[in-house]
Amino acid sequence: SQQWQTFLLWSNRVPFGRRDEQFGMDIGFFVFTLPWLQFLSGFLTAVVFLAALSAATTHYLYGGIRLQGTGSRFTDAARIHLATLAAIFLVLRGVDYWLGRFALTTKESGLITGLRYTDANAVLIARGVLAGIAVIVAVLFVVAAIANRFRMLPLYGVGLLVVSAIVVGGIYPAVVQRFQVKP
């Protein structure tokens, strides 16, 4: 209910008739549609995260997840359910990374609003790469849900996503800023 203005702006949107230079899209997308899509992405991410926490708790309480003992720690139903929720969460993270590319056009930084050199040449690429990796890791979770043999594969994918977020999303733009922009 707090996003009623964002919804009204989106539902009554009109094109500006001018194109953005970076993406070639109508400027109205960045003013009306992008904030609504970012809200939906954030809201759905929170819903899926809370659903996963609730599902994990419920599966644990009803014996679907066992922390002690020998044998499989997850029942098939718990494994499939939690892997599916993790895949949906990662797809939503990928959507958020992808929308973050467009949000750079309205980013305020000091005297300039919009993309700076580092944003256009490093952050834009990094967010696209991270979106792709998030979707690939989501596919790994689906594969792990279907085939019980690949249980560790999604964990390696999550590790790759975390390392990529640090290196590609943080260190690479900082290096471009430091060595290409600042000098």
Side-chain angles (χ1 to χ4, degrees), residues 110-126:
L111 299 174
I112 299 171
T113 298
L115 281 93
R116 298 178 305 166
Y117 180 86
T118 304
D119 296 330
N121 293 295
V123 177
L124 194 66
I125 296 166

Side-chain angles (χ1 to χ4, degrees), residues 91-154:
V91 166
L92 288 169
R93 289 301 306 146
V95 168
D96 189 49
Y97 281 130
W98 191 257
L99 291 175
R101 297 172 70 244
F102 300 116
L104 292 172
T105 59
T106 57
K107 175 181 156 190
E108 293 184 25
S109 53
L111 299 174
I112 299 171
T113 298
L115 281 93
R116 298 178 305 166
Y117 180 86
T118 304
D119 296 330
N121 293 295
V123 177
L124 194 66
I125 296 166
R127 290 191 180 169
V129 167
L130 290 173
I133 292 172
V135 171
I136 290 169
V137 175
V139 169
L140 293 178
F141 271 98
V142 170
V143 168
I146 294 170
N148 194 20
R149 294 177 292 175
F150 303 109
R151 289 182 295 178
M152 294 302 290
L153 198 57

Side-chain angles (χ1 to χ4, degrees), residues 2-183:
Q2 293 178 355
Q3 296 295 325
W4 64 272
Q5 289 178 324
T6 306
F7 172 75
L8 283 178
L9 286 170
W10 172 75
S11 64
N12 296 304
R13 66 191 178 276
V14 292
F16 277 45
R18 296 195 60 196
R19 299 242 172 244
D20 172 65
E21 294 296 324
Q22 182 70 34
F23 299 106
M25 301 171 73
D26 188 80
I27 295 174
F29 170 80
F30 302 99
V31 176
F32 303 123
T33 305
L34 183 61
W36 178 246
L37 292 176
Q38 286 180 313
F39 163 72
L40 285 179
S41 173
F43 179 76
L44 292 174
T45 299
V47 166
V48 170
F49 180 75
L50 291 174
L53 282 177
S54 299
T57 303
T58 304
H59 283 298
Y60 175 73
L61 291 175
Y62 285 99
I65 299 174
R66 293 182 309 147
L67 299 179
Q68 298 175 357
T70 59
S72 180
R73 300 206 185 272
F74 294 90
T75 62
D76 287 342
R79 180 178 47 81
I80 292 169
H81 188 200
L82 294 175
T84 303
L85 286 173
I88 293 169
F89 178 80
L90 286 165
V91 166
L92 288 169
R93 289 301 306 146
V95 168
D96 189 49
Y97 281 130
W98 191 257
L99 291 175
R101 297 172 70 244
F102 300 116
L104 292 172
T105 59
T106 57
K107 175 181 156 190
E108 293 184 25
S109 53
L111 299 174
I112 299 171
T113 298
L115 281 93
R116 298 178 305 166
Y117 180 86
T118 304
D119 296 330
N121 293 295
V123 177
L124 194 66
I125 296 166
R127 290 191 180 169
V129 167
L130 290 173
I133 292 172
V135 171
I136 290 169
V137 175
V139 169
L140 293 178
F141 271 98
V142 170
V143 168
I146 294 170
N148 194 20
R149 294 177 292 175
F150 303 109
R151 289 182 295 178
M152 294 302 290
L153 198 57
L155 297 179
Y156 297 139
V158 170
L160 171 68
L161 183 61
V162 169
V163 170
S164 298
I166 292 168
V167 173
V168 176
I171 294 174
Y172 175 63
V175 167
V176 169
Q177 179 69 25
R178 174 69 178 101
F179 293 110
Q180 288 185 342
V181 176
K182 291 271 181 173

